[in-house]
């Protein structure tokens, strides 16, 4: 019985070591570094800035106008007729609400578009990682930010960056 347990243990150890040897082609890649170095990133940022410039300018104008009216109300409110002050307060509150709604919609649209463009770039990086891994025969590629240590010879960041550009 003792020999059977020893043989079973030896078999399990051999199977585990064979499994570990099968996946020893592991590489690391620094995806965030590649993302930061992409020339397309600057192009996308300028494109988004252009896309949202008119809305941003409109919001800035609304904000300046609203601040001017609020300052006027504070400065001249005590000398105004009650009906005029009331009308101006209602107008300021309505404009503040409109501004807030437009600003919130602007932020949501801007954030959504930035995420869309970011995901497109990350998808291109992922495709490049896959091509490099396939061409060099790696079984597993791990983001270097998730690894405590790796040998430099297995870092494929530069190869992936060349592939993406």
């Amino acid at each position: 019985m003792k020999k059977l347990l020893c043989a079973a243990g030896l078999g399990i150890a051999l199977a585990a070591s064979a499994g570990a040897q099968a996946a020893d082609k592991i590489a690391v890649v620094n995806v965030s570094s590649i993302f930061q170095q992409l020339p397309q990133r600057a192009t996308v940022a300028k494109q988004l800035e252009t896309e949202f410039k008119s809305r941003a300018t409109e919001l800035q104008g609304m904000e300046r106008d609203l601040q001017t009216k609020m300052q006027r109300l504070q400065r001249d409110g005590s000398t105004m007729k009650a009906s005029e002050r009331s009308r101006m307060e209602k107008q300021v509150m309505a404009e503040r609400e409109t501004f807030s709604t437009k600003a919130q919609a602007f932020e949501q649209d801007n954030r959504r578009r930035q995420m869309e463009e970011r995901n497109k770039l990350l998808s291109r990086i992922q495709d490049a990682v896959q091509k490099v891994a396939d061409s060099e025969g790696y079984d597993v590629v791990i983001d270097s930010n998730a690894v405590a240590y790796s040998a430099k010879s297995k870092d494929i960041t530069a190869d992936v960056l060349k592939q993406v550009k």
Side-chain angles (χ1 to χ4, degrees), residues 30-36 38 40-41 44 114-130 143 160 164:
N30 190 336
V31 175
S32 61
S33 172
I34 294 170
F35 185 80
Q36 294 298 323
L38 280 179
Q40 296 94 328
R41 195 173 129 258
V44 167
Q114 285 181 0
M115 289 303 293
E116 285 174 3
E117 294 300 325
R118 179 180 179 272
N119 288 338
K120 286 179 189 176
L121 292 175
L122 287 175
S123 177
R124 290 186 61 197
I125 292 171
Q126 185 64 32
D127 291 343
V129 167
Q130 188 172 3
D143 190 346
V160 173
V164 174

Side-chain angles (χ1 to χ4, degrees), residues 24-136:
D24 69 345
K25 288 289 281 181
I26 299 173
V28 294
V29 65
N30 190 336
V31 175
S32 61
S33 172
I34 294 170
F35 185 80
Q36 294 298 323
Q37 294 178 41
L38 280 179
Q40 296 94 328
R41 195 173 129 258
T43 305
V44 167
K46 286 182 182 178
Q47 175 188 354
L48 288 174
E49 183 181 329
T50 303
E51 184 177 326
F52 287 97
K53 187 173 183 119
S54 64
R55 286 176 65 186
T57 304
E58 177 189 356
L59 283 172
Q60 288 171 349
M62 286 178 70
E63 184 178 28
R64 277 192 305 273
D65 186 45
L66 186 58
Q67 286 177 347
T68 302
K69 287 182 181 179
M70 288 172 64
Q71 287 172 351
R72 181 172 171 239
L73 185 62
Q74 280 183 336
R75 185 183 63 231
D76 301 337
S78 60
T79 60
M80 289 180 173
K81 294 180 185 176
S83 61
E84 185 180 347
R85 185 176 64 239
S86 176
R87 181 187 57 76
M88 191 164 192
E89 286 173 349
K90 287 179 184 177
Q91 183 182 12
V92 166
M93 299 238 326
E95 285 182 23
R96 184 186 298 170
E97 184 66 32
T98 302
F99 173 77
S100 177
T101 303
K102 284 187 175 189
Q104 190 174 25
F106 172 79
E107 286 295 321
Q108 288 174 347
D109 291 347
N110 192 2
R111 194 175 314 116
R112 179 186 51 79
R113 284 289 293 134
Q114 285 181 0
M115 289 303 293
E116 285 174 3
E117 294 300 325
R118 179 180 179 272
N119 288 338
K120 286 179 189 176
L121 292 175
L122 287 175
S123 177
R124 290 186 61 197
I125 292 171
Q126 185 64 32
D127 291 343
V129 167
Q130 188 172 3
K131 285 179 184 176
V132 170
D134 288 344
S135 70
E136 295 185 17

Side-chain angles (χ1 to χ4, degrees), residues 19-27 133-134 136-142:
Q21 287 178 354
D24 69 345
K25 288 289 281 181
I26 299 173
D134 288 344
E136 295 185 17
Y138 289 109
D139 298 319
V140 178
V141 178
I142 302 171

